[in-house]
Amino acid sequence: MLAAAQLKRSGSAKIPYPGGCKIGSRGYDLHIMVWEALGCKVTEKPDFIHIEGKQFTGGQIKFPISTVGGTENALICAAMAVGKTEIVNAYITPEVEDLIDFLRRMGSIIEVNGSSNIIVEGVNYLKGTIKSVMYDRIEALTWLVYGILSKGTIHINNVPFESMEVPLLHLKKMGIDFLSNSNSIYFSPDCLKNGQVESFELACGAHPGIISDMQSFYTLLGIVAQGDSRIFDYRYPKRIAYADELQKLIDTPVVETEEGKITTRGPGKFVSGEVTSTDLRGSMALVMAALCAEGESIVNDVEMALRGYNNLEGKLSQLGIEIEILEK
């Protein structure tokens, strides 16, 4: 994401190799494809990716798979390219739509056709603008699931309903009859139709369905649900390490994992223990499980959750929860 501005200013950019969550391959080949398709020379150095180009030149970018980061990178680069760029098989998520709105406010000429084709006419410069970042659909789901797990009462404001219709529909199918108005959700134990979460089966995929980043929260619901539940994720089949850590916080064997599939045989009861974070959303799932257990628990590498949830300690404090974060 930082390459375009560097190239625009100096004709050269040095980008570190990707890190992030341990959910399988974190390929950067599609980003290289974007830069090369727009006329840049890319060299993979031992410690960084070196991109060179006096200016971007419009062209066609054809993604072989849906990619949020790749689509965002292509949009930013194309916005300041000379000429027209076509992005084929773009992944237009709510976050990408928000970026398109932001770029348009800055003077970009962007045309969206259907659900996967974008035409960008490059401009010489982008002007400054002011825009509020969209509300986080994954965080809204996080707090709703925590309310269900903790059997507490919670009122969640600024829920982006338009971007999470399918994820919330699945909760309704589980017997979770939460209350909602135009922009908020209210949940109390009375919202569970049968006093419990019902078992379910679902597959993670592309928006508008349940995206992979939401997977761990449905796994939590499967743990407390009555009966067997199954969660499939073939986009990130190795995103199962957090589930093995979750099992350490359950009183009986409940979670079964294999690549692309998590099975829960609930209901299980959360117990205290020590676990280690493996990815951002999985880290938050571990924190939530620990909060639902009696006694003291330790979640190592919790900085993963902290970088994904703004003011996490403050929000937990609003729910009457005190946590202690220890620096290593």
Side-chain angles (χ1 to χ4, degrees):
M1 305 305 160
L2 301 175
Q6 294 181 55
L7 287 163
K8 181 70 174 178
R9 289 176 180 272
S10 66
S12 176
K14 296 179 180 179
I15 303 298
Y17 287 100
C21 302
K22 300 171 185 176
I23 58 172
S25 173
R26 302 292 297 208
Y28 51 89
D29 56 314
L30 298 183
H31 293 280
I32 291 177
M33 183 191 76
V34 167
W35 296 319
E36 290 180 338
L38 298 183
C40 294
K41 177 185 176 182
V42 182
T43 308
E44 296 183 59
K45 301 286 188 179
D47 299 322
F48 59 88
I49 303 168
H50 190 203
I51 311 137
E52 298 172 278
K54 290 185 179 180
Q55 63 184 18
F56 293 111
T57 303
Q60 186 183 70
I61 299 167
K62 192 172 183 179
F63 289 117
I65 60 171
S66 57
T67 165
V68 174
T71 300
E72 291 172 337
N73 193 10
L75 278 166
I76 296 169
C77 293
M80 52 186 71
V82 176
K84 183 180 294 184
T85 300
E86 181 184 21
I87 307 172
V88 180
N89 197 27
Y91 188 17
I92 307 176
T93 66
E95 292 78 15
V96 169
E97 290 175 337
D98 209 41
L99 173 60
I100 290 172
D101 177 65
F102 182 54
L103 289 170
R104 282 172 172 165
R105 294 186 189 199
M106 298 177 77
S108 296
I109 303 170
I110 302 174
E111 176 186 341
V112 178
N113 303 302
S115 60
S116 62
N117 182 274
I118 303 174
I119 305 293
V120 184
E121 185 72 49
V123 295
N124 292 329
Y125 66 91
L126 299 175
K127 64 183 180 181
T129 189
I130 297 174
K131 176 176 170 59
S132 297
V133 176
M134 66 176 289
Y135 295 116
D136 188 343
R137 54 187 168 143
I138 304 172
E139 181 165 3
L141 178 68
T142 301
W143 296 119
L144 177 53
V145 170
Y146 179 63
I148 298 165
L149 295 175
S150 64
K151 299 179 181 179
T153 299
I154 188 169
H155 183 201
I156 308 162
N157 291 314
N158 301 320
V159 178
F161 288 102
E162 67 280 357
S163 64
M164 52 190 307
E165 181 179 353
V166 175
L168 292 178
L169 177 62
H170 275 275
L171 295 187
K172 292 285 189 180
K173 296 293 185 180
M174 297 175 201
I176 303 165
D177 193 22
F178 55 85
L179 304 176
S180 60
N181 60 18
S182 60
N183 69 344
S184 66
I185 284 177
Y186 173 86
F187 175 85
S188 75
D190 292 335
C191 294
L192 288 177
K193 288 184 178 179
N194 295 325
Q196 63 189 27
V197 177
E198 303 298 337
S199 59
F200 58 90
E201 187 170 300
L202 58 83
C204 299
H207 175 78
I210 295 172
I211 60 175
S212 185
D213 279 335
M214 295 176 173
Q215 183 207 110
S216 60
F217 307 115
Y218 289 94
T219 300
L220 286 171
L221 292 174
I223 290 170
V224 300
Q226 187 73 34
D228 294 357
S229 298
R230 295 172 184 85
I231 301 166
F232 301 90
D233 191 339
Y234 298 119
R235 178 69 192 277
Y236 292 104
K238 295 184 183 295
R239 193 175 199 147
I240 55 177
Y242 78 88
D244 293 326
E245 290 296 304
L246 267 178
Q247 179 57 65
K248 299 176 183 178
L249 298 177
I250 308 171
D251 60 343
T252 56
V254 169
V255 180
E256 300 173 7
T257 61
E258 57 185 279
E259 286 196 9
K261 178 183 177 182
I262 296 172
T263 302
T264 59
R265 305 192 186 281
K269 179 182 178 182
F270 294 114
V271 294
S272 58
E274 181 172 352
V275 290
T276 300
S277 303
T278 60
D279 67 278
L280 191 159
R281 304 301 171 180
S283 178
M284 188 61 190
L286 295 174
V287 170
M288 293 160 67
L291 291 173
C292 292
E294 293 184 11
E296 181 180 282
S297 294
I298 299 173
V299 180
N300 295 309
D301 298 333
V302 77
E303 65 270 10
M304 291 190 180
L306 295 175
R307 71 180 170 87
Y309 293 85
N310 183 49
N311 189 28
L312 179 56
E313 292 176 85
K315 290 171 181 173
L316 288 172
S317 178
Q318 286 181 268
L319 298 176
I321 298 164
E322 292 183 10
I323 61 173
E324 183 180 7
I325 299 174
L326 304 176
E327 298 291 339
K328 288 188 176 180

